Amino acid sequence: MKKVVKLLGVLMLGLLVVSGCGNGNVKKDDASTAKKAPEELTLYIVRHGKTMLNTTDRVQGWSDAVLTKAGEDVVTAAGVGLKDIEFQNAYSSDSGRAIQTANLIVKENEKSSDLKVITDERLREFNFGTYEGDLNHTMWQDIADDQGVTLEEFMKNMTPESFANSVAKLDAKNVEEAKVNWPAEDYKTITTRLKAGLDDIVEKEMKNEGSGNVLIASHGLSISALLATLFDDYKIPEGGLKNASVCTVNYKDGKYTLDKINDLSYVEAGQKK
């Protein structure tokens, strides 16, 4: 009988230990340790690295080229600088240079290296129609001539809106080529697709579980146009957004807030390591 009582005592003690009672520990509710949907998002919007068409000073909108070695290096440095930030998802335009940029950053990340980059064609650069692949100088000079200003005056006062609308106007005159080519986009067309793409990303990620940090790889003019659409006081930096620069935008309670523009601190931090 004593053996039976002793055995029952051992079994009860085992149950207490397993359940977390009797030793000062309280078993945590599984729900308390699960990830929750974020209350706010931080969007890390990155411009792609330098490409081969950038190097030859060619118009590069919907047309595409791979990153140069220097382009890969600066994006990798940005990735190293961002390596401690846990991303709950990563997006890019469907252009190869943006996809390559996003993948290089994700590869360096210590907390999100298993993410698969999601592409969205709405995050593309401006489409320049028949100017695609031409020399940038040719396009810029044509715009300046059409506006009746010098090239220097055009470059000094250029905005994404005036730029896009001028290209669309000039491209529309190339009737024959327009029959077989995608026409250049005006500013309203561009900003409508960009804003719709971003809003869809935000809506989706606010429902996803995770850190609230989202990576987006896009293009210089498109990022500036998007920020100008979201924020009335946004001004494009002199010389444009730099390769692998980061613009951070916060989203909470249905409102976007601009944090940093053309931030190269992540590149600089990565280059020191």
Side-chain angles (χ1 to χ4, degrees), residues 31-177:
S32 67
T33 60
K35 286 186 176 181
K36 299 179 180 179
E39 295 182 359
E40 62 182 299
L41 296 176
T42 300
L43 310 174
Y44 292 79
I45 307 174
V46 186
R47 187 195 172 192
H48 64 78
K50 190 173 186 178
T51 72
M52 294 181 73
L53 284 178
N54 291 148
T55 302
T56 56
D57 199 29
R58 296 282 174 174
V59 178
Q60 184 180 216
W62 284 16
S63 58
D64 200 22
V66 298
L67 302 186
T68 61
K69 177 62 168 61
E72 288 187 351
D73 289 345
V74 73
V75 169
T76 298
V80 173
L82 290 162
K83 67 182 178 67
D84 293 325
I85 296 174
E86 181 181 1
F87 295 111
Q88 68 180 45
N89 248 323
Y91 295 83
S92 81
S93 85
D94 62 347
S95 297
R97 60 193 186 274
I99 297 172
Q100 194 176 357
T101 295
N103 279 325
L104 285 170
I105 292 174
V106 168
K107 180 181 178 181
E108 296 297 327
N109 197 278
E110 294 186 350
K111 300 179 179 180
S112 317
S113 60
D114 59 340
L115 284 180
K116 183 177 181 181
V117 174
I118 302 167
T119 62
D120 190 326
E121 64 181 17
R122 294 172 296 182
L123 299 175
R124 287 180 185 177
E125 182 60 287
F126 293 14
N127 178 20
F128 299 112
T130 51
Y131 282 104
E132 292 279 346
D134 204 344
L135 290 170
N136 279 310
H137 184 275
T138 299
M139 179 174 64
W140 295 338
Q141 187 65 62
D142 285 353
I143 295 172
D145 292 344
D146 184 66
Q147 294 181 356
V149 298
T150 66
L151 181 58
E152 291 72 23
E153 289 173 328
F154 160 69
M155 297 299 291
K156 182 179 180 180
N157 300 310
M158 188 269 287
T159 65
E161 182 173 7
S162 66
F163 187 23
N165 288 338
S166 293
V167 174
K169 175 186 174 184
L170 292 169
D171 181 64
K173 297 178 181 179
N174 298 319
V175 180
E176 290 304 315
E177 288 195 47

Side-chain angles (χ1 to χ4, degrees), residues 15 25 27 46 51 83 98 123 136-137 144 152 176 184 187 190 208 256 260 268:
L15 289 172
N25 294 324
K27 185 178 181 181
V46 186
T51 72
K83 67 182 178 67
L123 299 175
N136 279 310
H137 184 275
E152 291 72 23
E176 290 304 315
Y187 192 68
I190 294 166
N208 280 343
Y256 291 101
K260 293 181 180 179
E268 293 164 356

